[in-house]
Amino acid sequence: MKYIIIGLGNFGLSLAEKLTKLGNEVIGVDSSMTKVEAVKEKISHAICLDATDEYTMGGLPYKDTDIVVIAIGENTGANIMATAIIKKLHPNRIISRAIDPVHETILEAMDIHTIVHPEEETAEKWAKKLSLKGLVESFELSGKYSIVELRLPEQFIGKSPVEIEFRAKYNLVLVTVIKILAEKSIFGKVKRVNEVQGVVNNETPFDKGDILVLYGDNEDIRSFIRDSNDDYNHF
């Protein structure tokens, strides 16, 4: 996949490097030439630009870019300006960093659905989440085993756990299912709320939008995601 990361501070730099190591093409952008020079040998491309200048930002290759991440963290105003510009130039998948609750509220009002909190979430976790299509969350229990939250592949809609045979076919354990409910935010935007279903009924069919909570070997999880890649094209 191809990413543009705006802001090469600690979080943005770490995310850019980890995404690159996972085999992705990454364009890093920062207004500091020092930061750009420091990272240019570690990622695909590093460019010195003012992210609050719409004219210069318009020259970036958005057409072939899957996701744009606004990682600016030291200046709330610059983050909001850059997010607004990217929203206009690249209306597809945008991820923006929130510095505080008020900033997050502003981003939600701008219709930014995915918001990062680097103080609470590591760049490594986000790199894994972005690189593996369909992955919602990951909890690594050891170097070998993890519990992950995955969006239900379309091929499983209407099928029950017993029909899918997670253990027999994929060597994975279905821990539970999370339903996505919708409620209105104060700005009239739809905000997603999770509801954990508890112990799984193996006879109950899955619904579109369900999130599977799976446990297993990391390699088996990666294989399951790769096999279902075509069903995650909405990600």
Side-chain angles (χ1 to χ4, degrees):
M1 295 179 72
K2 187 173 181 177
Y3 299 87
I4 296 176
I5 297 181
I6 313 296
L8 297 174
N10 291 336
F11 176 74
L13 174 61
S14 181
L15 181 61
E17 291 180 351
K18 293 180 187 304
L19 282 170
T20 301
K21 289 179 180 178
L22 288 169
N24 301 286
E25 182 179 354
V26 178
I27 298 174
V29 176
D30 200 283
S31 59
S32 168
M33 181 57 76
T34 301
K35 292 180 180 178
V36 169
E37 288 292 327
V39 75
K40 68 179 183 179
E41 301 298 329
K42 300 177 181 179
I43 64 177
S44 309
H45 310 282
I47 303 171
C48 186
L49 286 179
D50 178 1
T52 64
D53 185 326
E54 183 176 347
Y55 178 77
T56 56
M57 289 293 287
L60 294 175
Y62 301 104
K63 184 177 180 181
D64 300 321
T65 298
D66 296 292
I67 299 174
V68 178
V69 181
I70 295 91
I72 299 171
E74 66 279 359
N75 187 322
T76 304
N79 179 294
I80 293 170
M81 281 288 293
T83 301
I85 290 170
I86 296 301
K87 182 78 175 174
K88 180 178 180 181
L89 298 173
H90 181 77
N92 296 319
R93 182 104 195 264
I94 299 172
I95 297 173
S96 191
R97 174 180 182 174
I99 299 169
D100 54 47
V102 174
H103 184 195
E104 181 169 2
T105 300
I106 294 170
L107 293 175
E108 288 179 347
M110 294 170 67
D111 207 23
I112 302 300
H113 299 295
T114 308
I115 299 173
V116 182
H117 306 85
E119 293 76 15
E120 304 168 13
E121 304 163 311
T122 66
E124 183 173 2
K125 179 179 286 188
W126 268 97
K128 185 185 295 183
K129 186 184 293 188
L130 292 173
S131 291
L132 296 177
K133 292 186 177 183
L135 184 67
V136 177
E137 191 57 272
S138 173
F139 309 93
E140 192 166 287
L141 304 179
S142 69
K144 187 173 175 62
Y145 298 99
S146 294
I147 294 175
V148 297
E149 296 176 7
L150 294 171
R151 291 178 178 84
L152 178 71
E154 290 185 7
Q155 65 191 27
F156 294 155
I157 295 173
K159 291 187 177 182
S160 66
V162 71
E163 291 178 282
I164 297 171
E165 298 182 293
F166 288 99
R167 189 59 181 266
K169 290 184 178 179
Y170 304 103
N171 198 32
L172 297 174
V173 176
L174 178 63
V175 179
T176 190
V177 177
I178 300 174
K179 298 287 184 182
I180 305 300
L181 306 180
E183 66 176 17
K184 295 289 184 179
S185 73
I186 59 174
F187 291 100
K189 304 295 183 182
V190 176
K191 186 173 183 179
R192 299 296 181 183
V193 178
N194 295 345
E195 182 182 89
V196 179
Q197 298 302 293
V199 178
V200 175
N201 182 335
N202 285 324
E203 304 296 333
T204 301
F206 291 116
D207 296 319
K208 183 176 182 179
D210 284 351
I211 294 176
L212 309 177
V213 182
L214 300 170
Y215 166 77
D217 185 290
N218 293 331
E219 283 303 317
D220 292 327
I221 292 170
R222 292 190 187 97
S223 295
F224 178 80
I225 292 174
R226 283 195 296 268
D227 291 345
S228 306
N229 252 353
D230 289 341
D231 293 307
Y232 290 132
N233 55 20
H234 63 283
F235 178 74

